[in-house]
Amino acid sequence: MKIAFVGKGGSGKTTLAALHARQLTAEGRPVLAIDADINQHLAVALGGPGAVSAARPLSEHLPAIKEYLRGDNPRIVSAKQMVKTTPPGRGSRLLRMAEENPIWAECVTTVGDVRLAATGEFSAEDLGVACYHAKVGAVELLLNHLLDGPGEYVVVDMTAGADSFASGLFTRFDRTFLVCEPTVRSVSVYRQYAGYARDYGVALSVIGNKVEDAADVAFLHEHVGADLLAWMSRSAYVRRAERGTVGPLHDLENANRAVLGLMTDAVDGTTQDWAAFTRWAHEFHRRNAGAWANERTGVDLTTQIDPDFQMGPAALAGTTAG
Protein backbone atom coordinates (compact mmCIF):
# COMPACT_ATOMS: atom_id res chain seq x y z
CA MET A 1 0.00 0.00 0.00
CA LYS A 2 1.47 3.31 -1.11
CA ILE A 3 0.91 6.16 1.37
CA ALA A 4 1.63 9.86 0.85
CA PHE A 5 1.99 12.50 3.55
CA VAL A 6 1.28 16.03 2.35
CA GLY A 7 0.41 19.38 3.90
CA LYS A 8 1.50 22.94 4.47
CA GLY A 9 5.13 23.50 5.35
CA GLY A 10 5.52 23.21 9.11
CA SER A 11 2.25 21.34 9.56
CA GLY A 12 4.03 18.27 10.91
CA LYS A 13 3.75 15.95 7.90
CA THR A 14 7.33 14.70 8.24
CA THR A 15 6.77 14.01 11.94
CA LEU A 16 3.54 12.11 11.20
CA ALA A 17 5.16 10.18 8.35
CA ALA A 18 8.00 9.12 10.66
CA LEU A 19 5.67 8.13 13.49
CA HIS A 20 3.47 6.09 11.18
CA ALA A 21 6.44 4.33 9.58
CA ARG A 22 7.88 3.54 13.02
CA GLN A 23 4.53 2.23 14.29
CA LEU A 24 4.08 -0.04 11.27
CA THR A 25 7.64 -1.33 11.62
CA ALA A 26 7.18 -1.95 15.35
CA GLU A 27 4.14 -4.09 14.49
CA GLY A 28 6.32 -6.26 12.24
CA ARG A 29 4.86 -5.00 8.97
CA PRO A 30 7.09 -4.59 5.87
CA VAL A 31 7.76 -0.85 5.48
CA LEU A 32 9.77 1.31 3.10
CA ALA A 33 9.94 5.02 3.92
CA ILE A 34 10.90 7.48 1.18
CA ASP A 35 11.92 11.09 1.75
CA ALA A 36 10.65 12.98 -1.29
CA ASP A 37 10.59 16.40 0.35
CA ILE A 38 12.74 19.24 -0.93
CA ASN A 39 13.92 19.52 2.69
CA GLN A 40 15.35 16.14 3.63
CA HIS A 41 14.40 15.68 7.30
CA LEU A 42 12.79 12.24 7.44
CA ALA A 43 15.96 10.44 8.58
CA VAL A 44 16.29 12.82 11.53
CA ALA A 45 12.60 12.40 12.39
CA LEU A 46 13.07 8.63 12.38
CA GLY A 47 16.18 8.52 14.51
CA GLY A 48 17.19 11.88 15.91
CA PRO A 49 19.93 14.37 14.95
CA GLY A 50 22.64 11.73 14.65
CA ALA A 51 20.67 9.73 12.09
CA VAL A 52 22.07 10.06 8.59
CA SER A 53 21.36 7.90 5.60
CA ALA A 54 24.38 5.90 4.45
CA ALA A 55 22.60 4.94 1.23
CA ARG A 56 23.19 6.69 -2.06
CA PRO A 57 20.40 9.19 -2.91
CA LEU A 58 17.94 7.96 -5.50
CA SER A 59 18.56 10.97 -7.74
CA GLU A 60 22.28 10.17 -7.95
CA HIS A 61 21.51 6.58 -8.92
CA LEU A 62 18.88 7.44 -11.54
CA PRO A 63 20.68 6.11 -14.67
CA ALA A 64 21.23 2.73 -13.03
CA ILE A 65 17.63 2.69 -11.74
CA LYS A 66 16.34 3.26 -15.28
CA GLU A 67 18.59 0.57 -16.73
CA TYR A 68 17.43 -1.96 -14.16
CA LEU A 69 13.72 -1.19 -14.45
CA ARG A 70 13.57 -1.30 -18.25
CA GLY A 71 14.70 -4.93 -18.21
CA ASP A 72 14.15 -6.30 -21.71
CA ASN A 73 11.02 -4.29 -22.45
CA PRO A 74 11.11 -4.02 -26.28
CA ARG A 75 9.25 -0.69 -26.19
CA ILE A 76 12.16 1.01 -24.38
CA VAL A 77 15.22 1.07 -26.62
CA SER A 78 17.57 2.47 -24.00
CA ALA A 79 17.58 3.85 -20.48
CA LYS A 80 18.26 7.30 -21.94
CA GLN A 81 14.74 7.24 -23.37
CA MET A 82 13.17 6.64 -19.95
CA VAL A 83 11.69 9.62 -18.15
CA LYS A 84 10.05 9.96 -14.74
CA THR A 85 6.62 8.93 -16.07
CA THR A 86 7.72 5.92 -18.17
CA PRO A 87 5.29 3.13 -17.27
CA PRO A 88 6.18 -0.55 -17.05
CA GLY A 89 5.24 -3.00 -19.77
CA ARG A 90 5.93 -6.57 -20.74
CA GLY A 91 9.63 -7.21 -20.18
CA SER A 92 10.02 -4.49 -17.53
CA ARG A 93 11.33 -5.35 -14.09
CA LEU A 94 8.82 -4.88 -11.28
CA LEU A 95 9.99 -4.23 -7.75
CA ARG A 96 8.73 -6.11 -4.72
CA MET A 97 9.04 -5.04 -1.11
CA ALA A 98 10.59 -8.27 0.16
CA GLU A 99 13.33 -9.03 -2.33
CA GLU A 100 16.97 -8.40 -2.99
CA ASN A 101 17.68 -6.15 -5.93
CA PRO A 102 20.43 -3.64 -6.81
CA ILE A 103 18.20 -0.60 -6.20
CA TRP A 104 17.39 -1.57 -2.64
CA ALA A 105 21.02 -2.58 -2.04
CA GLU A 106 22.35 0.75 -3.30
CA CYS A 107 19.69 3.20 -2.18
CA VAL A 108 18.00 1.83 0.96
CA THR A 109 19.40 1.95 4.46
CA THR A 110 17.93 1.44 7.93
CA VAL A 111 17.33 4.38 10.25
CA GLY A 112 15.76 3.76 13.62
CA ASP A 113 14.61 0.27 12.51
CA VAL A 114 12.84 1.72 9.44
CA ARG A 115 14.06 1.05 5.89
CA LEU A 116 14.61 4.43 4.23
CA ALA A 117 15.38 5.79 0.78
CA ALA A 118 15.76 9.48 -0.07
CA THR A 119 15.70 11.56 -3.22
CA GLY A 120 18.72 13.61 -2.19
CA GLU A 121 18.98 17.23 -1.25
CA PHE A 122 18.48 20.20 -3.55
CA SER A 123 22.09 21.38 -3.62
CA ALA A 124 23.78 24.67 -4.41
CA GLU A 125 24.79 23.24 -7.80
CA ASP A 126 21.10 22.80 -8.66
CA LEU A 127 20.18 26.44 -8.05
CA GLY A 128 19.04 28.15 -11.22
CA VAL A 129 19.73 25.14 -13.44
CA ALA A 130 17.61 22.27 -12.16
CA CYS A 131 14.06 21.61 -11.08
CA TYR A 132 13.44 19.60 -7.92
CA HIS A 133 11.05 17.39 -9.89
CA ALA A 134 14.13 15.94 -11.60
CA LYS A 135 15.05 14.43 -8.23
CA VAL A 136 11.52 13.35 -7.35
CA GLY A 137 11.34 11.67 -10.76
CA ALA A 138 13.25 8.72 -9.33
CA VAL A 139 10.46 8.23 -6.78
CA GLU A 140 7.81 8.34 -9.49
CA LEU A 141 9.66 5.70 -11.51
CA LEU A 142 9.99 3.45 -8.47
CA LEU A 143 6.31 3.75 -7.59
CA ASN A 144 5.32 3.10 -11.21
CA HIS A 145 7.23 -0.21 -11.07
CA LEU A 146 6.53 -1.23 -7.46
CA LEU A 147 4.20 -4.19 -7.03
CA ASP A 148 3.28 -3.86 -3.37
CA GLY A 149 0.30 -5.51 -1.78
CA PRO A 150 -1.98 -5.41 1.26
CA GLY A 151 0.06 -5.65 4.44
CA GLU A 152 3.05 -3.92 2.80
CA TYR A 153 3.55 -0.19 3.23
CA VAL A 154 5.46 2.49 1.33
CA VAL A 155 5.40 5.72 3.35
CA VAL A 156 6.37 8.78 1.29
CA ASP A 157 7.03 12.19 2.82
CA MET A 158 6.12 14.57 0.01
CA THR A 159 7.23 18.17 -0.53
CA ALA A 160 5.08 20.83 1.12
CA GLY A 161 1.94 22.32 -0.40
CA ALA A 162 0.41 21.11 -3.66
CA ASP A 163 3.73 20.85 -5.49
CA SER A 164 3.27 17.18 -6.36
CA PHE A 165 0.51 18.19 -8.77
CA ALA A 166 3.25 19.42 -11.13
CA SER A 167 3.52 15.76 -12.17
CA GLY A 168 1.34 12.68 -11.97
CA LEU A 169 3.01 11.61 -8.73
CA PHE A 170 -0.10 12.37 -6.67
CA THR A 171 -1.97 9.54 -8.46
CA ARG A 172 0.63 6.93 -7.43
CA PHE A 173 -0.77 6.44 -3.91
CA ASP A 174 -3.47 4.23 -2.45
CA ARG A 175 -4.09 6.61 0.46
CA THR A 176 -2.99 10.22 0.97
CA PHE A 177 -2.83 11.75 4.45
CA LEU A 178 -3.01 15.54 4.49
CA VAL A 179 -1.70 16.92 7.78
CA CYS A 180 -3.66 20.04 8.69
CA GLU A 181 -3.24 22.48 11.55
CA PRO A 182 -6.34 24.31 12.82
CA THR A 183 -5.36 27.48 10.93
CA VAL A 184 -6.67 29.34 7.89
CA ARG A 185 -3.41 28.87 5.97
CA SER A 186 -3.28 25.14 6.59
CA VAL A 187 -6.93 24.72 5.61
CA SER A 188 -6.26 26.63 2.38
CA VAL A 189 -3.68 24.01 1.41
CA TYR A 190 -6.25 21.30 2.13
CA ARG A 191 -8.80 23.01 -0.11
CA GLN A 192 -6.29 23.35 -2.92
CA TYR A 193 -5.18 19.73 -2.63
CA ALA A 194 -8.69 18.35 -2.27
CA GLY A 195 -9.87 20.36 -5.25
CA TYR A 196 -7.15 18.93 -7.48
CA ALA A 197 -7.44 15.41 -6.11
CA ARG A 198 -11.21 15.11 -6.50
CA ASP A 199 -11.06 14.72 -10.27
CA TYR A 200 -8.57 11.85 -10.01
CA GLY A 201 -10.21 9.68 -7.38
CA VAL A 202 -7.43 10.27 -4.83
CA ALA A 203 -8.29 8.64 -1.49
CA LEU A 204 -7.70 11.56 0.88
CA SER A 205 -7.82 11.63 4.68
CA VAL A 206 -7.04 14.66 6.84
CA ILE A 207 -5.10 14.31 10.08
CA GLY A 208 -5.46 17.35 12.30
CA ASN A 209 -2.27 18.28 14.10
CA LYS A 210 -1.20 20.52 16.98
CA VAL A 211 -4.77 20.51 18.29
CA GLU A 212 -5.13 22.13 21.71
CA ASP A 213 -8.84 22.19 22.54
CA ALA A 214 -12.39 21.57 21.41
CA ALA A 215 -12.41 24.85 19.49
CA ASP A 216 -9.56 23.58 17.32
CA VAL A 217 -11.47 20.37 16.62
CA ALA A 218 -14.61 22.33 15.77
CA PHE A 219 -12.59 24.53 13.38
CA LEU A 220 -11.27 21.48 11.56
CA HIS A 221 -14.71 19.89 11.35
CA GLU A 222 -16.11 23.13 9.93
CA HIS A 223 -13.48 23.51 7.22
CA VAL A 224 -12.53 19.90 6.43
CA GLY A 225 -15.76 18.05 7.04
CA ALA A 226 -15.94 14.32 6.44
CA ASP A 227 -12.32 14.16 5.25
CA LEU A 228 -11.18 14.61 8.87
CA LEU A 229 -10.10 11.16 10.06
CA ALA A 230 -8.48 12.02 13.40
CA TRP A 231 -6.34 14.61 15.12
CA MET A 232 -3.13 14.72 17.13
CA SER A 233 -2.94 16.90 20.21
CA ARG A 234 0.03 19.03 21.16
CA SER A 235 2.66 16.50 22.18
CA ALA A 236 5.51 16.71 24.66
CA TYR A 237 6.92 13.58 23.00
CA VAL A 238 7.01 15.28 19.59
CA ARG A 239 8.49 18.44 21.10
CA ARG A 240 11.35 16.39 22.59
CA ALA A 241 11.87 14.65 19.24
CA GLU A 242 12.08 17.99 17.45
CA ARG A 243 14.84 18.92 19.90
CA GLY A 244 16.74 15.76 19.00
CA THR A 245 15.51 13.14 21.46
CA VAL A 246 13.48 10.50 19.62
CA GLY A 247 12.16 8.30 22.39
CA PRO A 248 10.56 4.85 22.20
CA LEU A 249 7.08 4.83 20.70
CA HIS A 250 5.48 3.62 23.91
CA ASP A 251 6.30 7.05 25.37
CA LEU A 252 4.01 8.74 22.84
CA GLU A 253 0.76 9.90 24.45
CA ASN A 254 -1.92 7.18 24.31
CA ALA A 255 -4.45 9.33 22.46
CA ASN A 256 -1.87 10.31 19.84
CA ARG A 257 -0.67 6.77 19.40
CA ALA A 258 -4.28 5.70 18.87
CA VAL A 259 -4.38 8.07 15.90
CA LEU A 260 -1.58 6.06 14.28
CA GLY A 261 -3.77 2.98 14.60
CA LEU A 262 -6.70 4.75 12.95
CA MET A 263 -4.42 5.72 10.09
CA THR A 264 -3.36 2.11 9.61
CA ASP A 265 -7.00 1.02 9.65
CA ALA A 266 -7.77 3.60 6.93
CA VAL A 267 -4.92 2.31 4.78
CA ASP A 268 -5.86 -1.32 5.29
CA GLY A 269 -9.47 -0.47 4.39
CA THR A 270 -8.41 1.03 1.06
CA THR A 271 -8.76 -1.11 -2.05
CA GLN A 272 -5.80 -1.08 -4.40
CA ASP A 273 -7.22 -0.01 -7.75
CA TRP A 274 -4.58 -1.28 -10.16
CA ALA A 275 -6.70 -0.43 -13.19
CA ALA A 276 -6.86 3.23 -12.16
CA PHE A 277 -3.16 3.16 -11.25
CA THR A 278 -2.31 1.97 -14.75
CA ARG A 279 -4.74 4.32 -16.46
CA TRP A 280 -3.34 7.44 -14.78
CA ALA A 281 0.24 6.27 -15.35
CA HIS A 282 -0.47 6.11 -19.07
CA GLU A 283 -2.35 9.41 -19.09
CA PHE A 284 0.40 11.39 -17.36
CA HIS A 285 3.05 9.78 -19.51
CA ARG A 286 1.20 11.01 -22.59
CA ARG A 287 0.95 14.50 -21.09
CA ASN A 288 4.63 14.66 -20.23
CA ALA A 289 5.65 13.26 -23.60
CA GLY A 290 3.72 15.96 -25.41
CA ALA A 291 4.76 18.77 -23.07
CA TRP A 292 8.53 18.24 -22.97
CA ALA A 293 9.81 14.66 -23.03
CA ASN A 294 9.44 13.93 -26.75
CA GLU A 295 11.43 17.04 -27.60
CA ARG A 296 14.10 16.28 -25.03
CA THR A 297 14.63 12.65 -26.11
CA GLY A 298 13.97 13.11 -29.82
CA VAL A 299 11.50 10.22 -29.99
CA ASP A 300 7.77 9.68 -29.51
CA LEU A 301 7.66 8.35 -25.97
CA THR A 302 3.98 7.49 -26.15
CA THR A 303 5.06 4.32 -27.97
CA GLN A 304 6.45 3.13 -24.62
CA ILE A 305 2.90 2.57 -23.40
CA ASP A 306 1.98 -1.12 -23.56
CA PRO A 307 -1.83 -1.18 -23.94
CA ASP A 308 -1.99 -4.87 -23.06
CA PHE A 309 -0.13 -4.51 -19.76
CA GLN A 310 -1.77 -3.62 -16.44
CA MET A 311 -0.03 -3.32 -13.11
CA GLY A 312 -1.20 -5.73 -10.46
CA PRO A 313 -0.41 -9.22 -9.18
CA ALA A 314 -1.06 -10.79 -12.60
CA ALA A 315 1.63 -8.56 -14.14
CA LEU A 316 4.44 -10.71 -12.76
CA ALA A 317 3.90 -13.23 -15.52
CA GLY A 318 4.99 -10.70 -18.14
CA THR A 319 8.00 -9.15 -16.46
CA THR A 320 11.69 -9.80 -16.29
CA ALA A 321 13.00 -11.65 -13.23
CA GLY A 322 15.21 -9.64 -10.92
Side-chain angles (χ1 to χ4, degrees):
M1 303 296 283
K2 302 177 180 72
I3 310 164
F5 280 82
V6 301
K8 182 183 73 65
S11 63
K13 65 178 184 60
T14 300
T15 297
L16 265 293
L19 286 173
H20 195 219
R22 292 177 63 205
Q23 178 69 32
L24 292 167
T25 300
E27 293 172 353
R29 304 172 187 242
V31 177
L32 174 64
I34 301 178
D35 193 342
D37 194 353
I38 192 169
N39 299 305
Q40 302 269 281
H41 297 314
L42 187 55
V44 173
L46 288 169
V52 293
S53 174
R56 186 176 177 185
L58 292 167
S59 58
E60 293 183 11
H61 202 54
L62 188 54
I65 290 174
K66 291 179 177 180
E67 188 62 51
Y68 181 77
L69 293 178
R70 81 181 185 96
D72 56 14
N73 184 336
R75 292 176 175 269
I76 305 174
V77 176
S78 72
K80 291 182 179 180
Q81 292 183 5
M82 289 185 75
V83 295
K84 63 182 181 180
T85 55
T86 296
R90 286 168 292 183
S92 297
R93 284 191 175 94
L94 299 185
L95 302 170
R96 270 80 77 194
M97 291 281 290
E99 68 171 1
E100 295 183 3
N101 64 57
I103 298 177
W104 297 161
E106 188 75 17
C107 300
V108 176
T109 190
T110 300
V111 178
D113 296 329
V114 177
R115 296 172 68 222
L116 173 69
T119 60
E121 296 181 344
F122 197 73
S123 66
E125 290 76 14
D126 296 319
L127 295 177
V129 297
C131 171
Y132 186 68
H133 296 105
K135 295 182 181 293
V136 179
V139 177
E140 191 163 358
L141 266 177
L142 288 184
L143 296 184
N144 275 350
H145 291 76
L146 181 58
L147 192 60
D148 55 301
E152 299 177 326
Y153 306 86
V154 186
V155 177
V156 183
D157 182 25
M158 298 289 289
T159 194
D163 195 52
S164 63
F165 285 102
S167 72
L169 185 56
F170 71 98
T171 64
R172 305 296 80 202
F173 299 101
D174 300 299
R175 173 68 54 177
T176 295
F177 289 118
L178 189 145
V179 182
C180 186
E181 300 165 275
T183 67
V184 171
R185 285 186 297 170
S186 200
V187 164
S188 70
V189 172
Y190 157 75
R191 287 176 177 159
Q192 183 184 24
Y193 206 103
Y196 287 140
R198 192 173 296 115
D199 293 335
Y200 296 91
V202 173
L204 180 67
S205 296
V206 173
I207 306 298
N209 196 30
K210 306 177 186 177
V211 170
E212 294 185 351
D213 52 32
D216 285 346
V217 176
F219 179 89
L220 289 170
H221 274 299
E222 177 185 357
H223 293 280
V224 173
D227 284 339
L228 183 63
L229 175 68
W231 54 90
M232 301 274 289
S233 64
R234 290 278 186 180
S235 170
Y237 175 94
V238 169
R239 190 161 57 250
R240 290 192 298 271
E242 290 175 344
R243 293 171 178 168
T245 302
V246 178
L249 268 177
H250 60 70
D251 287 348
L252 181 65
E253 299 85 0
N254 289 338
N256 286 335
R257 191 164 184 182
V259 172
L260 302 180
L262 291 174
M263 293 163 62
T264 300
D265 290 342
V267 173
D268 289 345
T270 304
T271 300
Q272 286 185 294
D273 189 344
W274 288 109
F277 185 93
T278 302
R279 182 174 67 253
W280 289 124
H282 291 176
E283 172 62 22
F284 280 98
H285 187 57
R286 291 188 191 96
R287 294 186 191 183
N288 279 265
W292 61 272
N294 285 352
E295 182 178 358
R296 180 173 298 181
T297 60
V299 296
D300 180 8
L301 295 184
T302 62
T303 61
Q304 294 177 341
I305 296 173
D306 185 344
D308 297 322
F309 180 88
Q310 178 177 298
M311 276 293 283
L316 287 175
T319 58
T320 301

